[in-house]
Amino acid sequence: MSAEATNPEARPDARPELRRRGRTRLDLRRLGRAALLGPTSRDRLPDAIGHVAEAHRAHHPDADLSILRRAYVLAESSHRGQMRKSGEPYITHPLAVTLILAELGAETTTLTASLLHDTVEDTEVTLEQVREEFGDEVCFIVDGVTKVEKIDYGAAAEPETFRKMLVATGNDVRVMSIKLADRLHNMRTLGVMRPDKQARIAKVTRDVLIPLAERLGVQALKTELEDLVFAILHPEEYEHTRALIAAHAGERDPLPAIAESVRVVLREAGIHAEVLVRPRHFVSVHRISRKRGELRGSDFGRLLILVGENADCYGVLGELHTCFTPVVSEFKDFIAVPKFNLYQSLHTAFATSGGHVAEVIVRTRQMHRVAEAGVVALGNPYATAAAVTATAGAAAGSAEACADPYEERVDPTRPGWLSRLLDWQQSAPDPDTFWSVLRAELAQDREITVFRADGGTLGLPGGASCIDAAYAQHGEAAHGCIGARVNGRLTSLTSRLSDGDTVQLLLAHDASSGPSADWLEHAHTPAARIAISSWLKAHPDGAAATTTAARAPLSVVGARGGGGNAVADLPDATVRLAGCCTPVPPDAVAGFVVRGGAVTVHRVQCAAVAQMRSLGRTSVAVHWRATADCRVTLLAESFGRPHLLADLTEAIAREGVEVVSATVEPPVEQRVRHSYTLQLPDATGLPALMRAMRDVPGVYDVSRA
């Protein structure tokens, strides 16, 4: 991207503590000048990208670097004469971006595209030239990171650039890898900008690019971006945190001694492990200080334990929890249940005899590589297994070996959140809507996976409700969703889902059904919110019908009453069937004399039977007449929808059953409870009647009272 930067050496406020420890800072000005000193021999790499080649070979020893030489020659010649605002030759920017990616372990195609990522945007080089020279794969990536023209899009240029980049990332995650490295270098050298422009760029980095780095698992870029943004947007808090770290540097750090104790324990257990002390970065120290107040020496870092195999991770955990006092609340197993951004590790903490609490991360070396570099560490996700094997993972990015990137392809690294972004961005043509919704979506910092009733899965943001699941699974057909079962239990659509839940969504057959305005309060995904808002805008009258105020229960009472065909062994006594359990033949029943001399008949399982006996009520034997007709009260639970009462009474009538009375309670969270007292011509028809009532759309349960 058109980077505007300053020379970090000329900045009196340069912050060396933000640089990675143990790494020599390259003199990019010197490298840039070296790039302009004349032609380079064709049989070797230009001196200016020697550091890139060295870093790349460290991860890919057998990589063919000839394509990098050609890419550098084109980038240097096309950018020749261009200068950054700091006065550095412009070629220093793509070199720095490429070096960042090379150190993360990016494969050759990514580095080639990184060297060329600004050529189409800022020079006379065209995409066709890039395609002819380097192939479709490199061309696609370069196009993906190229900004749209501001002259064409005006104020919408930035949102539309990110939209274009996200769509390209959906086909190739390496597009976003280059963008993140590009932004990191620009943030490192942002001091030449006006303060207001620094703040604007830092806010976009905070709201969009840092969440994207987190979701792609590129922690090495994310943490440095966080610190740089922190210094610009919160200078006072940054200086306070800087002072805390400086004060700690002058004190005795307990972590090295704790690390040595851990090494001894693991060595005696026969576990080969590397135990390192990892200092926390600035934002991490700031968060810990806000959470815990006064910081102790062990709070400024964590122990990182690297092992060879997954089983060794749990072996280390067992030794730590056996030899030290574990802090149980700090244990998290991200190996058995990885995070949505590919992250795997065991997290724990233990207390030492000296009163210190040490936080520990345990992972394999491969997990560590993925934790630091995320999708960058996965190389080329589109290379065939045969190609990867043949090249030892080094030259898998060559343009000639890749399929056409413009064809739709299944990316094995594409996470669920990215698929959701690609889906809803098509429904948000307005750049302002896209921009605001994108930030809101990326603010969701947790991902859950729920299982569908048909065996599939849905990836949703943390806090998602059944409404979000409905639109994720059914699209616009979710307008007719009337309820859900979560883990087999009926629940309202507004219920929040948890990781691992199984959700079954119930759709109405009535085409006129639609969402209510209340759904917007419980919808978290952009796809759901956009779809609901569009429906409500198109059906203003339909929304009012679903949000009417609560009303009194509706009752319909017939003329018949009495005890049906129950007979009490008490002459001339009035017999009544209890409304609490509505016994019918051939239920086992018991009768009790109540006030007025009447006999109330209950099923023997009814809770009222024990209560009657405890009150000393007189028990009376009861039997059924030979006639088959009976009276019963049924409870029907359903989701509210138009014409539901009419459909239920019609279903009852088709079974030849008479409605003695009916009560419909006011809707609660779109659920309605119906109570029917029915006169059946034959008690054996009760199961068929209950099945017929359950078959009415919207009814999810029918039971005896």
Side-chain angles (χ1 to χ4, degrees):
M1 303 303 161
S2 298
E4 299 168 303
T6 186
N7 178 14
E9 293 182 346
R11 292 173 56 196
D13 62 337
R15 301 183 176 99
E17 65 272 18
L18 289 183
R19 302 168 186 165
R20 294 208 186 164
R21 299 171 187 260
R23 176 180 300 162
T24 303
R25 187 75 169 188
L26 297 180
D27 186 344
L28 295 178
R29 180 188 291 274
R30 181 184 61 79
L31 290 178
R33 287 175 178 164
L36 303 177
L37 292 181
T40 303
S41 173
R42 290 182 176 272
D43 59 355
R44 66 184 182 88
L45 286 170
D47 292 338
I49 59 169
H51 291 85
V52 173
E54 181 183 350
H56 187 39
R57 278 282 172 84
H59 293 278
H60 303 276
D62 301 323
D64 179 7
L65 301 181
S66 62
I67 190 173
L68 289 181
R69 183 189 67 79
R70 291 189 288 117
Y72 173 77
V73 169
L74 176 59
E76 186 277 320
S77 61
S78 60
H79 287 299
R80 186 174 296 169
Q82 295 180 348
M83 309 296 286
R84 306 190 86 207
K85 284 193 173 183
S86 62
E88 296 171 329
Y90 193 84
I91 189 61
T92 60
H93 172 64
L95 273 173
V97 172
T98 306
L99 180 59
I100 290 170
L101 292 168
E103 290 177 328
L104 289 175
E107 40 69 57
T108 311
T109 300
T110 304
L111 301 186
T112 303
S114 176
L115 284 169
L116 301 171
H117 79 271
D118 274 341
T119 54
V120 174
E121 181 180 322
D122 294 334
T123 74
E124 299 301 319
V125 175
T126 66
L127 284 173
E128 282 304 316
Q129 288 176 285
V130 173
R131 179 182 291 110
E132 290 174 5
E133 182 71 19
F134 301 99
D136 288 335
E137 200 79 10
V138 172
C139 178
F140 180 83
I141 298 173
V142 171
D143 184 32
V145 296
T146 300
K147 289 180 182 176
V148 300
E149 292 290 343
K150 195 165 186 178
I151 192 171
D152 296 330
Y153 287 88
E158 187 171 38
E160 289 303 326
T161 294
F162 272 97
R163 187 201 296 266
K164 173 189 174 187
M165 204 173 304
L166 280 172
V167 172
T169 301
N171 276 339
D172 197 323
V173 292
R174 294 173 291 182
V175 171
M176 192 56 66
S177 300
I178 294 176
K179 174 60 182 176
L180 291 172
D182 172 83
R183 179 54 60 95
L184 176 57
H185 182 244
N186 285 338
M187 288 294 297
R188 283 175 176 174
T189 57
L190 201 61
V192 74
M193 300 282 193
R194 300 189 312 270
D196 61 320
K197 194 164 186 180
Q198 288 186 41
R200 184 187 67 79
I201 294 174
K203 287 177 181 176
V204 173
T205 304
R206 176 196 65 192
D207 295 343
V208 178
L209 287 166
I210 288 177
L212 284 171
E214 167 72 17
R215 289 167 181 246
L216 292 173
V218 195
Q219 294 296 320
L221 302 187
K222 179 218 170 193
T223 53
E224 189 173 352
L225 284 172
E226 280 185 329
D227 284 349
L228 292 166
V229 168
F230 184 43
I232 292 172
L233 297 183
H234 305 283
E236 294 181 0
E237 294 179 12
Y238 170 82
E239 289 300 332
H240 174 69
T241 305
R242 182 181 179 184
L244 286 176
I245 295 175
H248 168 68
E251 300 174 354
R252 180 176 176 275
D253 188 350
L255 285 177
I258 297 173
E260 183 58 33
S261 300
V262 171
R263 291 188 190 101
V264 171
V265 167
L266 298 181
R267 188 162 52 244
E268 292 177 351
I271 299 176
H272 298 285
E274 184 179 2
V275 182
L276 307 171
V277 176
R278 295 195 75 186
R280 293 184 184 273
H281 64 106
F282 277 65
V283 172
S284 179
V285 171
H286 174 66
R287 289 171 181 159
I288 290 293
S289 66
R290 294 188 63 179
K291 177 181 177 182
R292 300 178 183 173
E294 184 177 354
L295 297 181
R296 295 174 296 179
S298 58
D299 291 330
F300 287 88
R302 291 183 288 189
L303 298 185
L304 172 64
I305 302 177
L306 300 178
V307 295
E309 303 292 338
N310 287 17
D312 293 335
C313 294
Y314 294 97
V316 169
L317 183 70
E319 293 299 324
L320 294 180
H321 285 192
T322 300
C323 299
F324 302 95
T325 303
V327 181
V328 179
S329 61
E330 296 293 329
F331 173 65
K332 298 180 181 67
D333 187 345
F334 295 118
I335 296 179
V337 185
K339 287 186 178 182
F340 67 92
N341 61 359
L342 310 176
Y343 180 86
Q344 288 185 288
S345 292
L346 295 178
H347 287 206
T348 190
F350 61 81
T352 67
S353 57
H356 296 288
V357 175
E359 294 186 27
V360 184
I361 300 172
V362 186
R363 58 175 69 137
T364 66
R365 290 174 177 81
Q366 175 60 21
M367 290 176 190
H368 180 60
R369 184 177 174 225
V370 174
E372 291 293 296
V375 295
V376 179
L378 300 180
N380 181 359
Y382 314 107
T384 64
V388 173
T389 302
T391 60
S398 63
E400 294 78 11
C402 297
D404 183 358
Y406 298 98
E407 295 179 1
E408 183 65 25
R409 55 190 177 182
V410 178
D411 183 349
T413 67
R414 181 193 290 185
W417 62 266
L418 181 54
S419 296
R420 290 199 306 274
L421 286 180
L422 296 175
D423 290 340
W424 68 255
Q425 65 87 22
Q426 299 177 1
S427 305
D430 176 23
D432 291 335
T433 300
F434 168 78
W435 196 231
S436 60
V437 175
L438 174 64
R439 294 185 182 204
E441 166 73 5
L442 293 177
Q444 305 285 346
D445 60 354
R446 193 169 61 87
E447 183 98 350
I448 63 173
T449 299
V450 298
F451 297 93
R452 294 165 22 180
D454 60 7
T457 60
L458 296 172
L460 298 170
S465 66
C466 295
I467 295 171
D468 298 305
Y471 283 94
Q473 180 173 348
H474 297 292
E476 292 189 357
H479 293 329
C481 194
I482 54 178
R485 291 183 185 273
V486 177
N487 301 326
R489 298 177 64 88
L490 191 79
T491 187
S492 67
L493 284 174
T494 60
S495 298
R496 285 194 172 191
L497 295 168
S498 299
D499 198 31
D501 281 346
T502 298
V503 59
Q504 177 186 4
L505 300 160
L506 309 175
L507 302 182
H509 297 285
D510 187 353
S512 65
S513 297
S516 73
D518 296 339
W519 286 18
L520 286 173
E521 299 179 10
H522 303 280
H524 292 264
T525 58
R529 296 185 62 83
I530 291 172
I532 294 168
S533 299
S534 299
W535 191 92
L536 293 175
K537 185 177 180 180
H539 302 81
D541 296 333
T546 60
T547 57
T548 54
R551 57 186 183 275
L554 171 66
S555 297
V556 179
V557 183
R560 298 184 60 176
N565 52 2
V567 179
D569 292 344
L570 190 64
D572 301 325
T574 302
V575 178
R576 291 200 298 261
L577 299 179
C580 56
C581 58
T582 58
V584 298
D587 292 341
V589 291
F592 294 91
V593 178
V594 296
R595 292 176 183 175
V599 175
T600 302
V601 180
H602 296 264
R603 283 189 283 171
V604 293
Q605 299 93 343
C606 181
V609 171
Q611 185 179 8
M612 289 285 190
R613 288 173 177 160
S614 66
L615 293 174
R617 298 287 189 184
T618 303
S619 177
V620 178
V622 180
H623 63 274
W624 299 106
R625 289 195 185 98
T627 55
D629 66 318
C630 66
R631 181 172 297 185
V632 65
T633 299
L634 298 179
L635 299 179
E637 296 184 82
S638 66
F639 298 105
R641 67 171 178 82
H643 313 300
L644 178 61
L645 181 59
D647 292 346
L648 265 172
T649 53
E650 182 181 352
I652 293 170
R654 282 199 300 267
E655 297 297 318
V657 176
E658 179 185 354
V659 179
V660 177
S661 66
T663 301
V664 183
E665 298 178 6
V668 177
E669 294 185 342
Q670 295 190 346
R671 288 184 288 179
V672 184
R673 183 182 174 94
H674 307 248
S675 177
Y676 295 93
T677 300
L678 307 171
Q679 188 71 29
L680 278 69
D682 189 340
T684 59
L686 182 58
L689 170 65
M690 296 174 70
R691 284 195 298 271
M693 294 174 68
R694 289 193 188 101
D695 288 340
V696 174
V699 177
Y700 58 81
D701 197 17
V702 176
S703 61
R704 299 265 305 270

